[in-house]
mmCIF file of all heavy atoms in Angstrom:
data_model
loop_
_atom_site.group_PDB
_atom_site.id
_atom_site.type_symbol
_atom_site.label_atom_id
_atom_site.label_comp_id
_atom_site.label_asym_id
_atom_site.label_seq_id
_atom_site.Cartn_x
_atom_site.Cartn_y
_atom_site.Cartn_z
ATOM 1 N N TYR L 17 11.563 61.195 -84.365
ATOM 2 C CA TYR L 17 12.506 60.132 -84.007
ATOM 3 C C TYR L 17 12.067 59.359 -82.768
ATOM 4 O O TYR L 17 12.279 58.145 -82.676
ATOM 5 C CB TYR L 17 13.902 60.723 -83.809
ATOM 6 C CG TYR L 17 14.976 59.679 -83.679
ATOM 7 C CD1 TYR L 17 15.164 58.718 -84.669
ATOM 8 C CD2 TYR L 17 15.820 59.646 -82.556
ATOM 9 C CE1 TYR L 17 16.150 57.753 -84.550
ATOM 10 C CE2 TYR L 17 16.806 58.687 -82.429
ATOM 11 C CZ TYR L 17 16.970 57.738 -83.431
ATOM 12 O OH TYR L 17 17.956 56.775 -83.310
ATOM 13 N N LYS L 18 11.426 60.040 -81.827
ATOM 14 C CA LYS L 18 10.954 59.345 -80.627
ATOM 15 C C LYS L 18 9.975 58.228 -80.998
ATOM 16 O O LYS L 18 10.013 57.134 -80.431
ATOM 17 C CB LYS L 18 10.284 60.340 -79.673
ATOM 18 C CG LYS L 18 9.819 59.710 -78.365
ATOM 19 C CD LYS L 18 9.150 60.734 -77.449
ATOM 20 C CE LYS L 18 8.655 60.066 -76.169
ATOM 21 N NZ LYS L 18 7.927 61.014 -75.298
ATOM 22 N N LYS L 19 9.080 58.496 -81.937
ATOM 23 C CA LYS L 19 8.121 57.491 -82.391
ATOM 24 C C LYS L 19 8.860 56.297 -82.998
ATOM 25 O O LYS L 19 8.485 55.140 -82.761
ATOM 26 C CB LYS L 19 7.165 58.114 -83.421
ATOM 27 C CG LYS L 19 6.227 57.137 -84.112
ATOM 28 C CD LYS L 19 5.137 56.639 -83.205
ATOM 29 C CE LYS L 19 4.134 55.790 -83.966
ATOM 30 N NZ LYS L 19 3.070 55.250 -83.103
ATOM 31 N N LEU L 20 9.901 56.573 -83.764
ATOM 32 C CA LEU L 20 10.659 55.487 -84.396
ATOM 33 C C LEU L 20 11.386 54.648 -83.347
ATOM 34 O O LEU L 20 11.370 53.416 -83.419
ATOM 35 C CB LEU L 20 11.654 56.068 -85.401
ATOM 36 C CG LEU L 20 12.449 55.043 -86.221
ATOM 37 C CD1 LEU L 20 11.519 54.223 -87.109
ATOM 38 C CD2 LEU L 20 13.501 55.739 -87.072
ATOM 39 N N THR L 21 12.000 55.298 -82.368
ATOM 40 C CA THR L 21 12.722 54.543 -81.333
ATOM 41 C C THR L 21 11.763 53.772 -80.425
ATOM 42 O O THR L 21 12.108 52.697 -79.930
ATOM 43 C CB THR L 21 13.607 55.476 -80.486
ATOM 44 O OG1 THR L 21 12.803 56.524 -79.932
ATOM 45 C CG2 THR L 21 14.724 56.075 -81.325
ATOM 46 N N GLU L 22 10.568 54.301 -80.221
ATOM 47 C CA GLU L 22 9.559 53.555 -79.444
ATOM 48 C C GLU L 22 9.084 52.333 -80.215
ATOM 49 O O GLU L 22 8.718 51.314 -79.606
ATOM 50 C CB GLU L 22 8.382 54.473 -79.128
ATOM 51 C CG GLU L 22 8.685 55.508 -78.054
ATOM 52 C CD GLU L 22 7.553 56.509 -77.858
ATOM 53 O OE1 GLU L 22 6.608 56.521 -78.688
ATOM 54 O OE2 GLU L 22 7.610 57.276 -76.880
ATOM 55 N N THR L 23 9.079 52.415 -81.529
ATOM 56 C CA THR L 23 8.684 51.276 -82.369
ATOM 57 C C THR L 23 9.782 50.221 -82.388
ATOM 58 O O THR L 23 9.499 49.022 -82.412
ATOM 59 C CB THR L 23 8.377 51.747 -83.807
ATOM 60 O OG1 THR L 23 7.412 52.801 -83.771
ATOM 61 C CG2 THR L 23 7.822 50.601 -84.649
ATOM 62 N N PHE L 24 11.061 50.679 -82.353
ATOM 63 C CA PHE L 24 12.196 49.759 -82.412
ATOM 64 C C PHE L 24 13.186 50.062 -81.278
ATOM 65 O O PHE L 24 14.309 50.505 -81.515
ATOM 66 C CB PHE L 24 12.904 49.882 -83.770
ATOM 67 C CG PHE L 24 12.050 49.503 -84.940
ATOM 68 C CD1 PHE L 24 11.521 50.480 -85.768
ATOM 69 C CD2 PHE L 24 11.772 48.165 -85.209
ATOM 70 C CE1 PHE L 24 10.729 50.134 -86.852
ATOM 71 C CE2 PHE L 24 10.980 47.809 -86.282
ATOM 72 C CZ PHE L 24 10.444 48.791 -87.109
ATOM 73 N N PRO L 25 12.775 49.825 -80.032
ATOM 74 C CA PRO L 25 13.646 50.181 -78.899
ATOM 75 C C PRO L 25 14.939 49.370 -78.856
ATOM 76 O O PRO L 25 15.992 49.906 -78.499
ATOM 77 C CB PRO L 25 12.767 49.898 -77.678
ATOM 78 C CG PRO L 25 11.731 48.927 -78.168
ATOM 79 C CD PRO L 25 11.491 49.270 -79.587
ATOM 80 N N GLN L 26 14.892 48.092 -79.209
ATOM 81 C CA GLN L 26 16.101 47.264 -79.161
ATOM 82 C C GLN L 26 17.100 47.656 -80.242
ATOM 83 O O GLN L 26 18.313 47.622 -80.028
ATOM 84 C CB GLN L 26 15.731 45.787 -79.311
ATOM 85 C CG GLN L 26 14.977 45.228 -78.110
ATOM 86 C CD GLN L 26 14.689 43.743 -78.279
ATOM 87 O OE1 GLN L 26 14.392 43.272 -79.370
ATOM 88 N NE2 GLN L 26 14.789 43.002 -77.181
ATOM 89 N N GLN L 27 16.583 48.026 -81.399
ATOM 90 C CA GLN L 27 17.460 48.340 -82.530
ATOM 91 C C GLN L 27 18.028 49.761 -82.459
ATOM 92 O O GLN L 27 19.140 50.014 -82.919
ATOM 93 C CB GLN L 27 16.697 48.174 -83.859
ATOM 94 C CG GLN L 27 16.273 46.744 -84.147
ATOM 95 C CD GLN L 27 14.931 46.390 -83.510
ATOM 96 O OE1 GLN L 27 14.406 47.129 -82.667
ATOM 97 N NE2 GLN L 27 14.367 45.258 -83.916
ATOM 98 N N LEU L 28 17.251 50.707 -81.899
ATOM 99 C CA LEU L 28 17.650 52.115 -81.940
ATOM 100 C C LEU L 28 17.801 52.763 -80.565
ATOM 101 O O LEU L 28 18.087 53.953 -80.476
ATOM 102 C CB LEU L 28 16.624 52.917 -82.760
ATOM 103 C CG LEU L 28 16.533 52.569 -84.251
ATOM 104 C CD1 LEU L 28 15.366 53.307 -84.903
ATOM 105 C CD2 LEU L 28 17.838 52.894 -84.973
ATOM 106 N N GLY L 29 17.624 51.972 -79.521
ATOM 107 C CA GLY L 29 17.697 52.531 -78.167
ATOM 108 C C GLY L 29 19.042 53.146 -77.838
ATOM 109 O O GLY L 29 19.130 54.054 -77.006
ATOM 110 N N ASP L 30 20.106 52.658 -78.484
ATOM 111 C CA ASP L 30 21.453 53.174 -78.213
ATOM 112 C C ASP L 30 21.939 54.135 -79.300
ATOM 113 O O ASP L 30 23.121 54.481 -79.351
ATOM 114 C CB ASP L 30 22.445 52.016 -78.092
ATOM 115 C CG ASP L 30 22.533 51.191 -79.372
ATOM 116 O OD1 ASP L 30 21.628 51.321 -80.236
ATOM 117 O OD2 ASP L 30 23.497 50.410 -79.518
ATOM 118 N N VAL L 31 21.013 54.589 -80.154
ATOM 119 C CA VAL L 31 21.380 55.445 -81.295
ATOM 120 C C VAL L 31 20.797 56.843 -81.077
ATOM 121 O O VAL L 31 19.586 57.010 -80.925
ATOM 122 C CB VAL L 31 20.852 54.865 -82.626
ATOM 123 C CG1 VAL L 31 21.218 55.785 -83.792
ATOM 124 C CG2 VAL L 31 21.390 53.456 -82.845
ATOM 125 N N THR L 32 21.663 57.850 -81.059
ATOM 126 C CA THR L 32 21.190 59.220 -80.870
ATOM 127 C C THR L 32 20.574 59.752 -82.161
ATOM 128 O O THR L 32 20.816 59.217 -83.259
ATOM 129 C CB THR L 32 22.342 60.155 -80.466
ATOM 130 O OG1 THR L 32 23.259 60.260 -81.571
ATOM 131 C CG2 THR L 32 23.059 59.629 -79.241
ATOM 132 N N LEU L 33 19.799 60.807 -82.031
ATOM 133 C CA LEU L 33 19.215 61.451 -83.212
ATOM 134 C C LEU L 33 20.313 61.893 -84.171
ATOM 135 O O LEU L 33 20.202 61.722 -85.381
ATOM 136 C CB LEU L 33 18.357 62.651 -82.796
ATOM 137 C CG LEU L 33 17.822 63.532 -83.946
ATOM 138 C CD1 LEU L 33 16.924 62.729 -84.882
ATOM 139 C CD2 LEU L 33 17.067 64.743 -83.388
ATOM 140 N N ARG L 34 21.387 62.447 -83.641
ATOM 141 C CA ARG L 34 22.482 62.927 -84.491
ATOM 142 C C ARG L 34 23.115 61.787 -85.273
ATOM 143 O O ARG L 34 23.400 61.920 -86.474
ATOM 144 C CB ARG L 34 23.537 63.631 -83.626
ATOM 145 C CG ARG L 34 24.676 64.246 -84.416
ATOM 146 C CD ARG L 34 24.169 65.333 -85.339
ATOM 147 N NE ARG L 34 25.233 65.853 -86.196
ATOM 148 C CZ ARG L 34 25.053 66.331 -87.408
ATOM 149 N NH1 ARG L 34 23.850 66.340 -87.948
ATOM 150 N NH2 ARG L 34 26.066 66.794 -88.108
ATOM 151 N N GLN L 35 23.317 60.645 -84.634
ATOM 152 C CA GLN L 35 23.872 59.478 -85.323
ATOM 153 C C GLN L 35 22.928 59.005 -86.426
ATOM 154 O O GLN L 35 23.360 58.647 -87.524
ATOM 155 C CB GLN L 35 24.093 58.333 -84.318
ATOM 156 C CG GLN L 35 25.248 58.539 -83.371
ATOM 157 C CD GLN L 35 25.310 57.438 -82.324
ATOM 158 O OE1 GLN L 35 24.308 57.137 -81.654
ATOM 159 N NE2 GLN L 35 26.473 56.823 -82.188
ATOM 160 N N PHE L 36 21.635 59.021 -86.118
ATOM 161 C CA PHE L 36 20.632 58.585 -87.091
ATOM 162 C C PHE L 36 20.629 59.510 -88.301
ATOM 163 O O PHE L 36 20.622 59.042 -89.452
ATOM 164 C CB PHE L 36 19.251 58.565 -86.423
ATOM 165 C CG PHE L 36 18.131 58.178 -87.347
ATOM 166 C CD1 PHE L 36 17.920 56.853 -87.697
ATOM 167 C CD2 PHE L 36 17.273 59.145 -87.867
ATOM 168 C CE1 PHE L 36 16.891 56.496 -88.546
ATOM 169 C CE2 PHE L 36 16.235 58.801 -88.714
ATOM 170 C CZ PHE L 36 16.040 57.465 -89.064
ATOM 171 N N ILE L 37 20.659 60.813 -88.078
ATOM 172 C CA ILE L 37 20.631 61.787 -89.171
ATOM 173 C C ILE L 37 21.848 61.617 -90.072
ATOM 174 O O ILE L 37 21.749 61.634 -91.303
ATOM 175 C CB ILE L 37 20.565 63.235 -88.623
ATOM 176 C CG1 ILE L 37 19.241 63.463 -87.892
ATOM 177 C CG2 ILE L 37 20.729 64.244 -89.759
ATOM 178 C CD1 ILE L 37 18.004 63.252 -88.729
ATOM 179 N N ARG L 38 23.013 61.446 -89.469
ATOM 180 C CA ARG L 38 24.229 61.245 -90.278
ATOM 181 C C ARG L 38 24.119 59.969 -91.106
ATOM 182 O O ARG L 38 24.507 59.936 -92.280
ATOM 183 C CB ARG L 38 25.466 61.204 -89.368
ATOM 184 C CG ARG L 38 25.857 62.577 -88.819
ATOM 185 C CD ARG L 38 27.032 62.480 -87.855
ATOM 186 N NE ARG L 38 28.226 61.914 -88.488
ATOM 187 C CZ ARG L 38 29.050 62.573 -89.279
ATOM 188 N NH1 ARG L 38 28.825 63.851 -89.561
ATOM 189 N NH2 ARG L 38 30.123 61.994 -89.797
ATOM 190 N N ALA L 39 23.558 58.926 -90.502
ATOM 191 C CA ALA L 39 23.458 57.631 -91.202
ATOM 192 C C ALA L 39 22.516 57.703 -92.399
ATOM 193 O O ALA L 39 22.808 57.165 -93.469
ATOM 194 C CB ALA L 39 23.005 56.551 -90.231
ATOM 195 N N ILE L 40 21.372 58.374 -92.241
ATOM 196 C CA ILE L 40 20.408 58.403 -93.349
ATOM 197 C C ILE L 40 20.827 59.383 -94.449
ATOM 198 O O ILE L 40 20.227 59.392 -95.527
ATOM 199 C CB ILE L 40 18.972 58.748 -92.867
ATOM 200 C CG1 ILE L 40 18.915 60.138 -92.227
ATOM 201 C CG2 ILE L 40 18.441 57.652 -91.946
ATOM 202 C CD1 ILE L 40 17.502 60.599 -91.883
ATOM 203 N N ASN L 41 21.869 60.166 -94.170
ATOM 204 C CA ASN L 41 22.381 61.098 -95.182
ATOM 205 C C ASN L 41 23.743 60.683 -95.732
ATOM 206 O O ASN L 41 24.352 61.428 -96.507
ATOM 207 C CB ASN L 41 22.477 62.509 -94.600
ATOM 208 C CG ASN L 41 21.128 63.189 -94.523
ATOM 209 O OD1 ASN L 41 20.539 63.555 -95.537
ATOM 210 N ND2 ASN L 41 20.608 63.346 -93.312
ATOM 211 N N ARG L 42 24.214 59.500 -95.342
ATOM 212 C CA ARG L 42 25.532 59.059 -95.806
ATOM 213 C C ARG L 42 25.559 58.927 -97.338
ATOM 214 O O ARG L 42 24.552 58.605 -97.961
ATOM 215 C CB ARG L 42 25.893 57.722 -95.157
ATOM 216 C CG ARG L 42 25.054 56.554 -95.642
ATOM 217 C CD ARG L 42 25.175 55.364 -94.706
ATOM 218 N NE ARG L 42 24.422 54.201 -95.190
ATOM 219 C CZ ARG L 42 23.113 54.052 -95.068
ATOM 220 N NH1 ARG L 42 22.376 55.013 -94.495
ATOM 221 N NH2 ARG L 42 22.503 52.961 -95.516
ATOM 222 N N ALA L 43 26.719 59.186 -97.895
ATOM 223 C CA ALA L 43 26.928 58.988 -99.333
ATOM 224 C C ALA L 43 27.722 57.707 -99.513
ATOM 225 O O ALA L 43 28.857 57.601 -99.042
ATOM 226 C CB ALA L 43 27.676 60.170 -99.921
ATOM 227 N N GLU L 44 27.113 56.745 -100.165
ATOM 228 C CA GLU L 44 27.702 55.414 -100.264
ATOM 229 C C GLU L 44 27.304 54.827 -101.614
ATOM 230 O O GLU L 44 26.223 54.256 -101.740
ATOM 231 C CB GLU L 44 27.171 54.559 -99.108
ATOM 232 C CG GLU L 44 27.879 53.262 -98.872
ATOM 233 C CD GLU L 44 27.323 52.586 -97.616
ATOM 234 O OE1 GLU L 44 26.202 52.050 -97.669
ATOM 235 O OE2 GLU L 44 28.014 52.625 -96.594
ATOM 236 N N PRO L 45 28.133 54.989 -102.634
ATOM 237 C CA PRO L 45 27.760 54.503 -103.966
ATOM 238 C C PRO L 45 27.315 53.049 -103.933
ATOM 239 O O PRO L 45 27.987 52.187 -103.356
ATOM 240 C CB PRO L 45 29.055 54.651 -104.771
ATOM 241 C CG PRO L 45 29.786 55.758 -104.098
ATOM 242 C CD PRO L 45 29.474 55.601 -102.628
ATOM 243 N N GLY L 46 26.130 52.803 -104.489
ATOM 244 C CA GLY L 46 25.589 51.457 -104.541
ATOM 245 C C GLY L 46 25.077 51.161 -105.938
ATOM 246 O O GLY L 46 25.096 52.016 -106.824
ATOM 247 N N LEU L 47 24.584 49.962 -106.124
ATOM 248 C CA LEU L 47 24.160 49.524 -107.453
ATOM 249 C C LEU L 47 22.687 49.778 -107.726
ATOM 250 O O LEU L 47 22.275 49.798 -108.884
ATOM 251 C CB LEU L 47 24.454 48.027 -107.611
ATOM 252 C CG LEU L 47 25.937 47.657 -107.633
ATOM 253 C CD1 LEU L 47 26.116 46.152 -107.439
ATOM 254 C CD2 LEU L 47 26.591 48.104 -108.930
ATOM 255 N N ILE L 48 21.884 49.959 -106.673
ATOM 256 C CA ILE L 48 20.436 50.012 -106.833
ATOM 257 C C ILE L 48 19.927 51.451 -106.784
ATOM 258 O O ILE L 48 20.099 52.145 -105.775
ATOM 259 C CB ILE L 48 19.727 49.172 -105.750
ATOM 260 C CG1 ILE L 48 20.334 47.760 -105.716
ATOM 261 C CG2 ILE L 48 18.233 49.114 -106.019
ATOM 262 C CD1 ILE L 48 20.271 46.998 -107.036
ATOM 263 N N ARG L 49 19.296 51.894 -107.856
ATOM 264 C CA ARG L 49 18.830 53.282 -107.966
ATOM 265 C C ARG L 49 17.881 53.653 -106.839
ATOM 266 O O ARG L 49 18.001 54.727 -106.232
ATOM 267 C CB ARG L 49 18.130 53.489 -109.314
ATOM 268 C CG ARG L 49 17.494 54.875 -109.462
ATOM 269 C CD ARG L 49 16.687 54.969 -110.745
ATOM 270 N NE ARG L 49 15.540 54.083 -110.758
ATOM 271 C CZ ARG L 49 14.361 54.358 -110.201
ATOM 272 N NH1 ARG L 49 14.164 55.513 -109.587
ATOM 273 N NH2 ARG L 49 13.370 53.498 -110.257
ATOM 274 N N THR L 50 16.887 52.808 -106.563
ATOM 275 C CA THR L 50 15.863 53.158 -105.579
ATOM 276 C C THR L 50 16.426 53.234 -104.160
ATOM 277 O O THR L 50 15.781 53.776 -103.278
ATOM 278 C CB THR L 50 14.696 52.160 -105.610
ATOM 279 O OG1 THR L 50 15.208 50.832 -105.443
ATOM 280 C CG2 THR L 50 13.945 52.245 -106.933
#
């Protein structure tokens, strides 16, 4: 995660690892399979 935040400091500088993990695991029915 440190590498990712260093790549995108403005976008993720205020986002904790825990917040990021919850976000990438969210269940949100969508239309696109991929």
Side-chain angles (χ1 to χ4, degrees):
Y17 190 56
K18 183 180 178 184
K19 172 72 174 178
L20 184 64
T21 56
E22 286 174 350
T23 306
F24 297 105
Q26 291 183 322
Q27 295 86 348
L28 295 173
D30 61 344
V31 179
T32 67
L33 173 61
R34 184 63 185 150
Q35 287 174 309
F36 178 77
I37 295 301
R38 286 176 60 79
I40 62 173
N41 283 290
R42 69 196 183 281
E44 193 175 74
L47 293 166
I48 309 302
R49 175 186 65 83
T50 54

